[in-house]
Structure formats: structure tokens, C-alpha cells
Amino acid sequence: MEELVIRDVDVVDGSGDPAYRADVVVDGGRIVSIVKEAADAGCQRPRARRELDAEGLVLSPGFIDMHAHSDLALLRDPDHSAKAAQGVTLEVLGQDGLSYAPVDDRTLEEVRRAITGWNGYGDDIDFDWRTVGEYLDRLDRGIAVNAAYLIPQGTVRALAVGWEDREATPEELDRMRRLVAEGMEQGAVGMSSGLTYTPGMYAKDAELTELCRVVARYGGYYCPHHRSYGAGALEAYAEMVALTGEAGCSLHLAHATMNFGVNEGRAPELLALLDKALESGADISLDTYPYTPGCTTLVAMLPSWASEGGPEEILRRLADDETSERIRHHLEVIGSDGCHGVPMEWDTIEIAGVTDPALSPYVGRRLDSWATARHLLLTDRLAPSILQHVGHEDNVRTIMRHRVHTGGSDGILQGAKPHPRAYGTFPQYLGTYVRELGVLSLEECIAHLTSRPASRLRLRDRGLIKEGYRADLVLFDPRTVSPGSTFENPRQLPVGIPHVMVNGQFVIENGHRTEDLPGRAVRNSPM
């Protein structure tokens, strides 16, 4: 007898097709049978050792977070309810060109310092890996949800070239190609870049194209945080479309939105650019989160020249009064490339987290000047994380309707007051943008969050409610599902999602986190 039957449930199967009523049987970590309209057909109903009455609930495939920053959180916090309770069953890590593999001892220390604001410094983590494969093996020891990994181009550049603003030598480029090939062979699904973050932003297009050619050979995709989401945003998107077209590589645009005052109402221009490329045969997808503010680190706002050489050089420049004044002028008057070419408006920057307890009164406050920002960067040694209130609701709604759109939280779990998207992205889509606003139908929205990302990841047995597919499943109440997280209280769990299964095991049961760790690394499938 099978393990579980989910009885009388409304199935939204991820395909975009209309919902239907069924009994769904799970056994051995997979969906083994689907009996449609079983109660009305008068047929023999499936039985199992356990029956779950799901009257009034919707069953969907597990949600795939296409842009997650849980690289250390999955190891640090086995509970991981921030994502599991949302119905997330797979996260894509290694985002924005900076993560923890492949590294050597030097690069690991530099990266840990550079992205403390994203993931913490990691002094509670045993960094017993150096390669992509070793990191994936570490995940395979048991995590709350499944995880895939993108090779971080900035980390690769730091390892092969360093943190200097210069072109790679032929020998260094060859080493980067080998590192990317090794990472793909070891199971990465593609490569990411952070082209407003150092050192990845120092790479010219020719260098990125060569690395994308390697990714393409393994059937992976390129996921850039491109060079601007503010001034020149459309040109930055066009650059990525042209670059991947030249390389013959699939493109997935990270947190693809149009921010700052210069881009208000300009989402249709972005979509027209993408539609033209799609019609010519380009393989493009994108992800967004359903909120207007962004979230990153305060140090990321600095001009690239101020960040050259790595964290210690940044601190040295900040401590020098003359150089600090030059940074201020670049930020406030010229427009830093770290801040997307837009002159800084300090009141758009809200401090989300610090590591020095003495600085905790700043959390939740808006900045008032460069002097305050400089003080925080020096005192907290580049660690502060921020919210940046620069988005536009009309752009958010327009982009999420597009046919290649997928969902990604960009969820940074670090800090005392993180962005609520870390805890609320997927119920925000279902509760606010489906039920309350009607921007998407339920069937459309589920397809955006499940089968579309599964297709981008080339997963042959996830993303749909289908016999033989993995039992990564979510049961939610469409009448009540909503995020608990708010900007005032961002660490609140969602409501209306009573059950979540990963590989056939409950990680959320009756609204509570179980002790199971069924998640594993999801590796690139050979072409």
C-alpha cells in the first residue's frame, strides 16, 4: 500500500491549465497516481497508509525560488522556515556573481568579507569545501529544501585575477574557462554575474562572452545582475541580450525590473526589447520579486574605483578624508556605477542590518548623509545591509505578466530587519497579486512559480503535478494565503500554507516545521 493519498484536492498542476479535482497518491518520494474527480466518478478510490483530507485546499508543485541568497543559511539554520513555510521546495544559489565556490583559502576569506551583509561572515560555518562539487556534496548531507547552484563569475575572477580593475591576461582567461567548465561538470546549472559588484564588474563583454560559451557547452544558462537598473538600464539589458546571443548561451535576467525615477513607467520598453529577441529565437527568461524596494549591502553603493583591491583597500580609502570626499562627490553629484549611475538620494536608503550591536539603533532608519554612511561602513567593517526604496509598482505589475517571467525572492536573510520578500515573496504573489488584485490568474501564477523555472533549470521531473514526478508539493488555502511578513515585522511566517512536501517528506505539516531535512543538491543534467 502506498504512503499517502491527498484526498479531494483542487489541483493546479503548474501547466497553466484549469484546475481540477482529484485524489493524488504519493509514494517513494514521487507522485504515483492521480485519480481525477474520484468522488464523483463512482470508481474505486485510491487508498494509502495515510489519508490527508484536502477539501478546500489547492495542491500545486513546489515553488522554485530562482534567485535566493541562502548559500550559508541552508547550512546554518536547518529549520529554514523562512523559505519552507512559503512553499519553496527548491532555491537557486550562487547569485549575483559572489558565493563560496570555487575558492582557495585567500579568495574564500575575501568573499566572506565582501558579502557579510548578504550571508553573515560565516564564523558559525565549517567551510570544509573549496570546489563547486564539494559544496554540493555538503548540501547533500541534508537541508530543508532542495538547492541548485550557479557558478559565481565574480568569485571566479577573484580566484584567477584578483580584485583589480584590469583585463585578464590570456593565461588568466584560460584559468577562468577551466574553473567554469569544472563547476559545470560538477553540477552547477549555470553562471551568475554581479556587474555592479566588484570584482565581477571589472570584466569586459569579451571576457564574459568567453565564459558564457563554456556555460553553453554544458547546457547551462547565464544569470546576470547586469550593469545598471537605473540610468542606462535598457542599454544594460540590451548588452546582456547581445552578449549571450554572441555566445549562444541561454539568458536568465536576475530581478529584472526598472528602478529609480528615470525608469518610472518604462517596463513596456524592456518587454519590447525582450520580445524582439525572443521572436528572433533567443532563449530568455527572467525573475522578479513582488515588491518595490530593493535590498543589498551599503558598500555596494560605492563607485567601482573605491572598491578596487578588495575589502581592506575599501576600508583604507574610507578612512582617508580626502578619498572619502572624492567618494561622496561621486555618489552625490556624478552618480556611482555601484548605485546604477544615479546620484544618491540618501533618504531612499534604509539600514536593514548590522553586525556590531552598538550600531543597532541605526536599523530601520533612513540615512541622512554620506557622513553617516561612512561611519557605518567603517565601524561595521563593510557589513551593513540596506533596503533601497527606488522601485515602481506599475513596473512590477507589468513585468510579472510576461510570458517568460518566473518568481525569485532575492531574499537576504541576514540582518535584524531584512526585506520582507525573504519571508513573503510566494504568498505575496498568491494573496496580493492573484486573489486581491487579479494581476494574474491562479493557474497563470502557479505556472510562473513552478513549471517555467523548472524548464529553465532543465528539470525533467519537477515543476508539474504529474505521475512519476518528484513529490515537491504545496497545499495552500487560496482564500487565506498571504504573507505574514511586513516592512515593520519582516520575519513573520505566512498564513494559509498548511502543508509542504520536499521529495515526498513533509517539511511543513499542519502549519508547523517538521524535523526532516529531505532537501538535496539538484545538479545540472548532462545534455
Side-chain angles (χ1 to χ4, degrees):
M1 183 176 291
E2 282 79 15
E3 296 171 5
L4 172 71
V5 59
I6 303 170
R7 184 82 72 197
D8 292 326
V9 71
D10 293 321
V11 176
V12 179
D13 67 7
S15 67
D17 292 340
Y20 59 85
R21 179 66 62 91
D23 290 352
V24 178
V25 181
V26 173
D27 189 68
R30 295 185 180 270
I31 301 165
V32 296
S33 69
I34 301 169
V35 182
K36 295 183 179 181
E37 303 293 346
D40 300 326
C43 61
Q44 182 69 36
R45 305 191 69 179
R47 302 187 63 182
R49 290 192 294 274
R50 178 180 175 186
E51 296 190 5
L52 178 59
D53 183 1
E55 181 73 34
L57 299 180
V58 166
L59 179 70
S60 83
F63 306 138
I64 298 176
D65 188 342
M66 287 295 288
H67 193 104
H69 288 283
S70 302
D71 307 49
L72 298 185
L74 276 165
L75 304 177
R76 172 184 294 123
D77 175 22
D79 182 82
H80 205 51
S81 287
K83 292 302 182 69
Q86 292 186 59
V88 171
T89 59
L90 171 60
E91 298 183 273
V92 184
L93 313 177
Q95 300 287 350
D96 294 331
L98 288 167
S99 190
Y100 306 95
V103 292
D104 57 15
D105 292 350
R106 170 190 62 83
T107 308
L108 175 61
E109 175 60 23
E110 292 167 344
V111 169
R112 289 173 66 181
R113 291 283 302 282
I115 54 175
T116 294
W118 293 356
N119 299 307
Y121 176 66
D123 49 6
D124 54 347
I125 301 292
D126 178 11
F127 288 90
D128 60 352
W129 68 85
R130 292 296 181 269
T131 69
V132 169
E134 290 168 350
Y135 176 68
L136 297 178
D137 289 344
R138 176 68 179 273
L139 298 178
D140 274 340
R141 297 180 198 173
I143 48 180
V145 304
N146 299 310
Y149 189 72
L150 295 166
I151 302 163
Q153 170 260 329
T155 300
V156 167
R157 196 172 213 272
L159 181 57
V161 181
W163 297 72
E164 290 75 37
D165 183 1
R166 64 173 176 82
E167 291 190 26
T169 67
E171 293 76 18
E172 289 166 341
L173 182 56
D174 281 345
R175 188 180 180 198
M176 285 190 281
R177 288 193 193 99
R178 289 195 303 271
L179 288 167
V180 172
E182 289 166 3
M184 294 299 297
E185 289 167 0
Q186 292 165 7
V189 295
M191 182 180 74
S192 76
S193 283
L195 299 180
T196 65
Y197 301 130
T198 58
M201 69 191 307
Y202 299 140
K204 301 293 192 292
D205 283 4
E207 178 180 314
L208 296 172
T209 300
E210 286 303 306
L211 300 184
C212 283
R213 292 187 199 279
V214 178
V215 173
R217 287 206 305 268
Y218 292 90
Y221 67 91
Y222 181 44
C223 181
H225 166 129
H226 52 276
R227 299 191 193 273
S228 178
Y229 291 82
L234 284 174
E235 292 80 0
Y237 280 112
E239 176 190 9
M240 296 297 100
V241 171
L243 186 157
T244 50
E246 174 68 20
C249 187
S250 300
L251 173 64
H252 180 84
L253 295 164
H255 36 58
T257 190
M258 300 283 286
N259 288 337
F260 301 90
V262 295
N263 289 316
E264 185 171 4
R266 299 188 69 188
E269 296 176 59
L270 167 61
L271 299 184
L273 168 69
L274 299 182
D275 283 339
K276 182 178 180 180
L278 288 162
E279 288 163 7
S280 69
D283 180 12
I284 299 174
S285 55
L286 59 86
D287 66 69
T288 68
Y289 47 83
Y291 297 88
T292 53
C295 180
T296 186
T297 57
L298 182 57
V299 69
M301 300 293 101
L302 301 183
S304 57
W305 61 261
S307 297
E308 186 179 3
E312 289 303 323
E313 284 298 303
I314 298 172
L315 289 166
R316 184 187 63 78
R317 293 186 182 103
L318 289 170
D320 180 76
D321 288 343
E322 184 176 343
T323 309
S324 172
E325 172 57 23
R326 185 182 168 205
I327 293 171
R328 182 205 64 76
H329 180 77
H330 208 127
L331 282 166
E332 296 181 356
V333 179
I334 298 173
S336 164
D337 48 4
C339 191
H340 308 278
V342 178
M344 178 64 71
E345 297 176 346
W346 291 112
D347 62 355
T348 66
I349 304 295
E350 177 185 353
I351 299 300
V354 294
T355 60
D356 185 343
L359 299 174
S360 59
Y362 286 94
V363 174
R365 284 170 48 181
R366 303 285 184 108
L367 291 181
D368 56 5
S369 66
W370 166 241
T372 303
R374 181 191 183 194
H375 167 69
L376 290 169
L377 287 167
L378 283 168
T379 306
D380 210 29
R381 296 186 62 80
L382 313 182
S385 56
I386 62 170
L387 303 186
Q388 194 170 18
H389 296 268
V390 292
H392 305 285
E393 180 65 21
D394 58 339
N395 286 345
V396 170
R397 297 189 192 189
T398 299
I399 293 169
M400 73 168 62
R401 294 188 183 103
H402 196 269
R403 66 186 186 278
V404 299
H405 170 267
T406 67
S409 71
D410 197 8
I412 294 175
L413 299 167
Q414 193 68 19
K417 195 172 182 287
H419 196 304
R421 69 193 186 193
Y423 283 72
T425 286
F426 295 88
Q428 174 83 336
Y429 272 118
L430 297 171
T432 301
Y433 288 93
V434 171
R435 184 181 63 245
E436 296 178 9
L437 299 176
V439 174
L440 295 168
S441 71
L442 182 59
E443 290 83 355
E444 288 174 323
C445 185
I446 295 299
H448 288 223
L449 307 182
T450 60
S451 62
R452 284 191 193 169
S455 178
R456 165 53 69 216
L457 295 167
R458 297 195 300 118
L459 303 178
R460 300 186 179 95
D461 57 358
R462 300 181 197 268
L464 293 169
I465 304 290
K466 189 174 181 180
E467 291 180 358
Y469 272 50
R470 301 265 186 176
D472 291 350
L473 302 171
V474 183
L475 278 160
F476 64 90
D477 186 337
R479 301 160 298 184
T480 63
V481 61
S482 61
S485 60
T486 64
F487 286 98
E488 293 73 27
N489 295 292
R491 292 189 182 274
Q492 304 301 306
L493 297 179
V495 298
I497 306 179
H499 303 288
V500 181
M501 300 184 77
V502 174
N503 295 320
Q505 294 179 241
F506 284 100
V507 292
I508 301 293
E509 189 170 13
N510 297 315
H512 299 286
R513 178 70 171 92
T514 69
E515 295 182 354
D516 291 337
L517 296 172
R520 296 294 183 268
V522 174
R523 289 169 167 81
N524 178 45
S525 301
M527 292 187 69

